[in-house]
């Protein structure tokens, strides 16, 4: 879809009548929409603001969209204060349905590559932000940010923020649950770092028909890995999830599935990978780092579909595009 068409469709989403009920904190909020900043303008302003100050953003925005009087900073802040930010989840849902689904998509052997990753974003040093999102040992305020990212089509499919102490796995399941109606229409490979690997996640993918490539932790499935020859670079691990293990599964739906299907087969791939990683510092300096990796991966892709080298290339070449997306978001 051409960028112009995407922006045109997105403007209709921001004007969609269904947003009103999601945007209201109080029943009477956004009921009179003939003022200087109706809901559609407030949402558009918040999406596209990029200036250094509030005044600059307001002036730039209103000079672009209409010739009426520019509202005061106080008026804009008041409108922002009564906005229920759950409206962004509705906007994201409409974006997926009306823009992402109709897109012509790039795939790898017919699969969408969906990377899931988390990072920290620094917040203004304020007691309220510290209370809601936590405070790091370095006395800086942080919030946990997590995204599900279509790495071949450069689209963030789901975005979550949480307290800094929330681990990656609960946020990952929030992504997958929010995207289930979208992802079930495609063949999917989920790419994730070592913090996401778990029997619960692997069996969830089995339930939903997803494929995955996850960096392997050294302490996972020790008994089965100890039985492999030292020079074995690609092997199938057969694992029984016993009753004690089943009790530790958090999500009831997955636990019930495992009780009925306790056997699990996981492919372990070992490999070496080198590449140059380029990133821009906050001061605008370009830095290139050479990455030299000996690593292992868990996957449920078959050897017929993806060779040992293909697993490694797919993870490193495609999964790390998410870092570029994070760099854009954070700077």
């Amino acid at each position: 879809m051409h960028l112009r068409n995407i922006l045109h469709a997105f403007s209709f989403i921001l004007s969609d009548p269904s947003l009103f009920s999601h945007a209201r904190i109080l029943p009477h909020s956004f009921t009179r929409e003939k003022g200087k900043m109706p809901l559609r303008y407030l949402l558009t302003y918040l999406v596209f603001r990029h200036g250094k100050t509030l005044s600059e953003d307001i002036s730039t925005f209103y000079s672009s969209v209409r010739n009426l009087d520019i509202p005061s900073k106080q008026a804009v802040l008041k409108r922002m204060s009564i906005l229920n930010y759950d409206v962004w989840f509705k906007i994201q849902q409409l974006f997926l349905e009306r823009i992402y689904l109709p897109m012509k998509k790039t795939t790898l052997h017919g699969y969408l590559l969906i990377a899931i990753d988390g990072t920290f974003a620094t917040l203004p040093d304020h007691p309220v932000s510290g209370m809601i999102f936590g405070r790091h040992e370095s006395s800086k305020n942080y919030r946990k940010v997590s995204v599900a990212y279509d790495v071949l089509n450069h689209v963030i499919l789901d975005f979550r923020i949480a307290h800094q102490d929330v681990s990656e796995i609960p946020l990952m399941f929030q992504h997958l649950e929010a995207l289930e109606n979208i992802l079930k229409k495609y063949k999917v490979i989920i790419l994730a770092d070592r913090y996401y690997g778990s029997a619960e996640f692997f069996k969830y993918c089995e339930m939903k028909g997803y494929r995955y490539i996850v960096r392997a932790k050294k302490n996972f499935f020790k008994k089965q890995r100890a039985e492999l020859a030292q020079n074995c670079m690609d092997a199938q691990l057969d694992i029984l999830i016993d009753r004690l293990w089943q009790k530790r599964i958090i999500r009831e739906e997955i636990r019930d599935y495992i009780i009925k299907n306790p056997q699990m087969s996981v492919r372990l791939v070992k490999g070496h990978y080198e590449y140059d990683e380029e990133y821009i510092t906050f001061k605008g300096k370009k830095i290139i780092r050479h990455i030299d990796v000996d690593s292992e991966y868990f996957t449920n892709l078959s050897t017929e579909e993806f060779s040992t080298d293909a697993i490694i290339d797919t993870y490193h070449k495609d999964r790390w595009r998410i870092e570029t997306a994070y760099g854009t978001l954070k700077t």
Side-chain angles (χ1 to χ4, degrees):
M1 187 182 293
H2 193 277
L3 178 59
R4 181 177 180 180
N5 294 333
I6 291 175
L7 291 173
H8 186 68
F10 191 64
S11 70
F12 275 96
I13 289 174
L14 296 181
S15 301
D16 194 281
S18 67
L19 297 183
F20 285 102
S21 60
H22 296 273
R24 290 180 179 130
I25 296 174
L26 302 173
H28 63 272
S29 300
F30 303 107
T31 54
R32 291 173 291 179
E33 287 292 291
K34 295 183 180 180
K36 295 179 182 179
M37 185 162 274
L39 178 61
R40 65 185 185 278
Y41 281 1
L42 175 61
L43 296 174
T44 306
Y45 164 77
L46 291 172
V47 169
F48 292 103
R49 60 184 299 187
H50 61 279
K52 294 180 180 180
T53 66
L54 186 64
S55 297
E56 180 185 346
D57 273 322
I58 295 171
S59 177
T60 301
F61 177 77
Y62 270 84
S63 65
S64 302
V65 298
R66 60 192 295 181
N67 296 317
L68 298 181
D69 293 338
I70 297 176
S72 66
K73 290 193 297 183
Q74 289 76 15
V76 174
L77 289 171
K78 183 176 180 180
R79 294 294 274 177
M80 290 169 61
S81 72
I82 64 171
L83 179 67
N84 184 343
Y85 281 84
D86 285 348
V87 71
W88 299 110
F89 290 110
K90 181 62 176 179
I91 290 170
Q92 183 73 6
Q93 177 192 336
L94 295 176
F95 169 83
L96 293 172
E97 293 172 356
R98 299 182 185 180
I99 297 178
Y100 181 72
L101 277 178
M103 280 174 53
K104 183 179 180 181
K105 299 174 185 64
T106 300
T107 61
L108 179 67
H109 305 310
Y111 286 98
L112 290 178
L113 298 184
I114 309 299
I116 295 177
D117 200 11
T119 188
F120 288 105
T122 306
L123 289 174
D125 189 10
H126 191 279
V128 174
S129 61
M131 179 178 64
I132 295 173
F133 295 108
R135 185 179 293 275
H136 197 262
E137 294 176 357
S138 65
S139 297
K140 292 183 178 179
N141 287 319
Y142 285 96
R143 58 182 170 185
K144 179 67 69 63
V145 176
S146 182
V147 300
Y149 184 64
D150 182 334
V151 292
L152 297 182
N153 297 289
H154 315 292
V155 177
I156 290 177
L157 303 181
D158 196 57
F159 180 94
R160 304 276 159 170
I161 61 172
H163 191 282
Q164 67 165 18
D165 294 336
V166 175
S167 72
E168 288 84 354
I169 291 179
L171 291 172
M172 174 187 65
F173 279 110
Q174 288 181 31
H175 292 314
L176 295 175
E177 288 164 4
L179 295 172
E180 184 172 347
N181 287 335
I182 301 295
L183 297 184
K184 69 182 182 181
K185 303 177 188 296
Y186 302 96
K187 294 168 60 179
V188 172
I189 299 175
I190 299 172
L191 308 174
D193 207 347
R194 59 174 61 90
Y195 302 107
Y196 295 89
S198 68
E200 189 167 6
F201 171 56
F202 297 156
K203 292 298 278 187
Y204 176 85
C205 290
E206 183 181 307
M207 284 174 53
K208 302 299 182 182
Y210 301 151
R211 300 292 182 258
Y212 59 81
I213 304 174
V214 177
R215 284 278 293 274
K217 284 186 176 180
K218 299 292 184 182
N219 62 341
F220 270 39
F221 314 133
K222 283 185 176 180
K223 178 182 177 182
Q224 291 80 7
R225 292 164 84 165
E227 297 171 355
L228 301 176
Q230 192 170 2
N231 61 350
C232 179
M233 304 301 289
D234 197 331
Q236 205 74 24
L237 307 179
D238 294 317
I239 299 141
L240 175 65
I241 304 177
D242 60 26
R243 289 186 179 181
L244 186 61
W245 197 348
Q246 292 168 11
K247 290 180 180 180
R248 300 200 301 268
I249 302 300
I250 296 172
R251 288 155 191 83
E252 185 177 356
E253 178 192 16
I254 304 173
R255 184 171 60 248
D256 291 344
Y257 178 80
I258 291 174
I259 291 171
K260 296 177 182 177
N261 305 274
Q263 292 288 343
M264 180 170 66
S265 184
V266 177
R267 182 181 169 195
L268 174 66
V269 174
K270 301 179 181 180
H272 179 82
Y273 196 82
E274 295 184 30
Y275 60 97
D276 291 325
E277 182 180 71
E278 178 183 301
Y279 69 98
I280 307 296
T281 67
F282 285 106
K283 294 183 178 180
K285 183 180 179 181
K286 183 184 293 185
I287 295 178
I288 296 177
R289 295 186 299 185
H290 184 72
I291 308 296
D292 192 331
V293 180
D294 279 315
S295 193
E296 299 178 348
Y297 314 85
F298 292 134
T299 184
N300 59 350
L301 286 160
S302 68
T303 54
E304 290 76 20
E305 284 187 290
F306 282 75
S307 66
T308 302
D309 290 340
I311 294 292
I312 299 167
D313 287 344
T314 299
Y315 182 89
H316 283 283
K317 184 173 68 175
D318 293 315
R319 184 260 174 203
W320 286 111
R321 296 188 193 186
I322 196 172
E323 299 298 328
T324 304
Y326 266 139
T328 301
L329 282 172
K330 292 168 75 172
T331 57

